[in-house]
Amino acid sequence: MTKILLSLHVLAAIIAVGPVTVAASMFPPAVRRAAVAPPRGAGAGGGGGDADAGTVRLLHRICRVYAGLGIAVPVLGIATAAAMGVLTDAWLLISLVLTAAAAGLLVAFVLPRQEELLEQLADRQPVERAGTARLAMFTGLFNLLWATVTVLMVVRPGSTTGA
């Protein structure tokens, strides 16, 4: 049962967290491109403004949907840890804290700022580079937290596997 839980946990992490980290990282530059692109039919070459705005909406949707699916990662992780008898190990507790911090960062800073920028694009308001830079910073911190959790899951200080 442990191997099944662990497999589901790893699959959930790859399938749910991977798309959020990639889409969230792509979002700030996509917003900057959409903000400077002329609307369809305006300017040279017909512009890609609508297409760029569509890309931004898609990236936000990916972040929102996969963030919801990402709840399965800690749930399956805790179930796996319980089955392995490592619920009180320091590496696991640190991983849980970092996972909670990453989730909090995503919910409190990344997704709301994405929504603000989407509204600015929809209202054809100017998008300040500082706003996209702050979003990129929060996204980078989110990604760094997940990378740290991944390393802890692989290295597992004090592990008896010899890895």
Side-chain angles (χ1 to χ4, degrees), residues 9-143:
H9 171 62
V10 170
L11 283 170
I14 292 167
I15 292 169
V17 178
V20 175
T21 58
V22 172
S25 295
M26 293 172 65
F27 191 92
V31 168
R32 286 191 288 269
R33 277 191 308 274
V36 298
R40 188 169 303 232
D50 292 340
D52 289 334
T55 299
V56 173
R57 283 190 298 276
L58 175 63
L59 291 171
H60 176 63
R61 183 172 174 208
I62 290 169
C63 291
R64 243 187 21 252
V65 169
Y66 283 91
L69 295 174
I71 294 169
V73 177
V75 169
L76 289 166
I78 291 169
T80 303
M84 293 173 68
V86 295
L87 276 174
T88 58
D89 286 10
W91 65 270
L92 181 76
L93 297 174
I94 293 167
S95 294
L96 286 171
V97 168
L98 294 177
T99 297
L105 195 61
L106 183 66
V107 171
F109 294 100
V110 175
L111 293 175
R113 281 186 170 61
Q114 285 182 350
E115 289 166 7
E116 290 171 8
L117 290 168
L118 272 170
E119 288 175 15
Q120 288 177 354
L121 285 177
D123 296 342
R124 304 240 188 253
Q125 296 175 355
V127 174
E128 294 184 21
R129 184 164 179 83
T132 59
R134 271 191 303 278
L135 175 58
M137 177 193 65
F138 290 127
T139 299
L141 289 172
F142 170 78
N143 292 344

